[in-house]
Amino acid sequence: MNKTEVFRALHRHRPPGDPLVLPGPWDAASARVFADAGFPALATPSAGIAASLGYADGQVPADEMFAAVTRIVRAVEVPVSADVEAGYGLAPKELVERLLETGAVGCNLEDSAHGVLKDPHRHAEWLAEVRAAAGDRLFVNARVDTFACGVADPGRAVERAALYVAAGADCVYPIMAPPEVLPLLRAGIEGPVNAGVFTEDGPSPAELGARGATRVTFGPGLQRRAARALREIADRLVR
């Protein structure tokens, strides 16, 4: 199997309580740490990469993001999926080509812009074009931003997820979904479901898996924890 097939297979037949855990490297060094620790695959966080490059979240130019992903992919042997936000305004074919050039096996794609949800039908059509351009060469994780945009009704997330799965998404990610609604989402969504861990005191990956998550990612959380640890070291050095 090639790396994309390996990555896709990692999402299949996950038992409850055993989700696929995908740490989020923000540079080549952190990617090597996670790969050496034994994780079978990685998923880059756009916000973590932004911080490492000196940008605010959402402000990284496309060329710099793709270059950063390329360095991460090159640093490890395990499959790497890339968060490429809303696609940087690229046409689906160009977006797919740029992703494949990095060596990434998959991508996260958001369904909101500047805190406003996109029309789900039009976004589904765009995702279908991405799928058509990618074929089976990329694993598409379609982010559902309803909770992040203040829409608390799980039904709205399920409706969007259904459109995106029908458009060819391999997985859906209802980002910021409260852990207690994960069973409802799991019951209503066909295929793998991504859940996020954003705080150190939040539910463990195993707990999220027991609630219905197929896979667990961390956004920029691990990069921020590493930055705090480095700050503590720096503070001790200047005393």
Side-chain angles (χ1 to χ4, degrees):
M1 289 193 294
N2 61 37
K3 285 186 178 180
T4 305
E5 292 169 341
V6 169
F7 188 69
R8 189 169 277 114
L10 288 170
H11 293 76
R12 297 188 186 122
H13 312 303
R14 307 294 311 191
D18 183 31
L20 174 61
V21 178
L22 298 172
W26 52 94
D27 59 14
S30 59
R32 289 194 184 106
V33 168
F34 295 136
D36 289 347
F39 289 99
L42 309 174
T44 69
S46 60
I49 288 178
S52 76
L53 296 176
Y55 290 96
D57 185 20
Q59 299 302 309
V60 181
D63 287 349
E64 291 197 46
M65 181 62 77
F66 288 120
V69 171
T70 300
R71 289 190 293 271
I72 289 169
V73 171
R74 190 171 56 218
V76 296
E77 294 297 323
V78 299
V80 177
S81 183
D83 181 351
V84 288
E85 303 177 279
Y88 307 110
L90 299 173
K93 186 175 185 295
E94 183 179 0
L95 175 61
V96 167
E97 290 172 352
R98 296 291 300 271
L99 279 162
L100 292 173
E101 286 171 0
T102 70
V105 301
C107 58
N108 272 24
L109 294 169
E110 303 170 2
D111 72 343
S112 67
H114 310 296
V116 178
L117 289 166
K118 297 179 180 180
D119 178 272
H121 296 278
R122 272 184 274 182
H123 186 64
E125 291 172 358
W126 183 78
L127 286 174
E129 292 181 42
V130 172
R131 169 52 68 211
D136 61 0
R137 297 177 295 171
L138 288 174
F139 184 100
V140 177
N141 187 35
R143 220 176 77 173
V144 178
D145 291 358
T146 50
F147 296 101
C149 292
V151 179
D153 179 5
R156 294 282 299 281
V158 170
E159 290 169 1
R160 285 177 170 257
L163 290 171
Y164 304 160
V165 170
D170 297 285
C171 181
V172 293
Y173 180 15
I175 190 169
M176 305 302 292
E180 60 269 19
V181 306
L182 270 175
L184 289 173
L185 297 175
R186 172 68 283 166
I189 294 174
E190 182 180 348
V193 174
N194 191 144
V197 175
F198 298 98
T199 61
E200 295 179 41
D201 58 352
S204 69
E207 290 170 331
L208 292 173
R211 290 173 183 261
T214 310
R215 75 183 217 177
V216 174
T217 53
F218 300 86
L222 300 178
Q223 182 271 329
R224 290 171 180 170
R225 288 172 66 176
R228 287 198 298 272
L230 187 59
R231 177 59 185 267
E232 292 172 3
I233 293 170
D235 288 344
R236 289 196 296 270
L237 291 174
V238 298
R239 288 175 187 165

